[in-house]
Amino acid sequence: MARTEPVSDWTSDFDVLDESYVRDPFPRWDELRRVCPIARTDRRGRAWLPTTYADVTALAKDVEHFSSSNTSVIDSVEEDENPILTYGLPPITSDPPLHTWTRRLLLPWFSHARVATYEPMTRALCGSLIDAHLEAGRADAAAEYAQQIPVRVIGAILGIPEELADTFTGWVRDVLEFADDPQRVERGMLGIGYYLWDRINERRTVDGDDLLTYLLHTDVEGEPVDDMAILGMAILTMIAGIDTTWSAIGSSLWHLATHDNDRQRLVTEPELMDTAVEELLRAYAPVTMARAVTADIEFNGCPMKKGDKLLLNFPAANRDPSVFDHADEVRIDRQENRHVAFGSGIHRCAGSNLARMELRVALEEWLQRVPVFHLADSADVLWAGGQVRGPRKLDVVFA
Ligand code: HEM
């Protein structure tokens, strides 16, 4: 990740890629909420960073002044530099009306009922991933476990062979984790784009029970869906479902490796798994999204200008003590938990059922085989941040 000058004033010159912020952003948000709830910066373009639940959710719902035409926290490629993806990556990078019908096409693929059909393969996959490390008694829970799961599950939905899982993981990391390196972003986007384009073309003539085939053979108000809209939706499904979910699984395992009480309770009281999953999503929400300010507007005293970037800081909203009792404590039996890890408003995550299932199954299968584990060396944990925060290296020792 490109480094910039150290930050001396977080209220007017924040840097989401600052190393200490990526590792531990929580005290920063607590401080900002007290002294300057919407921080700003001119680094990598002018941007605003709200930190309260009320501001983040209000801003997320104002689609008139805050457009999804650019949702990247870190810009690498100018929007109009991409002549191929004429529809962008809908629905996430679109506003209504494009947003409305593309979202409607994707939602049924992630309904409760359909997600339930992916659970047995997810469970078998998680089991086999851990089994491979039982003899050694240790594993990198981020790279060798969490990272391996979502790419294979999404791959099955899109009809992508398992042998390509590592290639796709590399491409998705290029796009999201290395967003400040234009060459890597281009490599990732072209890799995913050309691969999916070939698969789309194959499915024009061959039948299959996968999302690409469905998009090719469905219609919207009597018209077939444009090829470039299909490609955009396919790329988004790949990108949106991988880094995000593996980061949530990795952060949850980090928490359990460093909080013996919670780990022990989940082993002896497995009925707490559902509230624990919500609480871990709240406390370690991985995703921050951006918006483009569409017209000059003053929001809570902040003079936002057309073209500024707004960062929808869902992770900070989730730690707001005015909404969550003891917000900085993880309480795996928390009953009231209206967290916004999956966003808020019309762009709320379309894959949240799938993400929840993967997180629950990944933790259940892990704890069943490895009920006791701890960090090999706390200084050796490596975090990634920016758009998606989560551990990238998480060596743990079993028992
Ligand atoms: C723990 C894992 C996940 C988290 C934390 C997460 C978070 C989010 C957030 C915060 C948004 C809102 C974006 C915005 O407001 O601009 C979003 C949108 C979206 N997510 Fe997820 N996501 C996760 C997993 C997934 C999975 C597994 C999929 C499945 C492919 C998925 C597909 C989508 C799609 C398609 C959208 C766009 C929805 C729209 O624009 O209407 N996500 N996600």
Side-chain angles (χ1 to χ4, degrees), residues 52-92:
T52 70
Y53 188 93
D55 285 347
V56 171
T57 52
L59 289 161
K61 286 178 181 133
D62 183 351
V63 295
E64 192 193 331
H65 294 102
F66 304 99
S67 164
S68 287
S69 58
N70 186 358
T71 51
S72 305
V73 167
I74 310 294
D75 280 329
S76 51
V77 192
E78 291 296 325
E79 281 158 73
D80 52 6
E81 268 180 32
N82 197 333
I84 301 172
L85 289 170
T86 40
Y87 289 76
L89 304 179
I92 217 166

Side-chain angles (χ1 to χ4, degrees), residues 316-327:
N318 278 354
R319 295 273 186 152
D320 185 339
S322 73
V323 176
F324 300 98
D325 211 17
H326 295 90

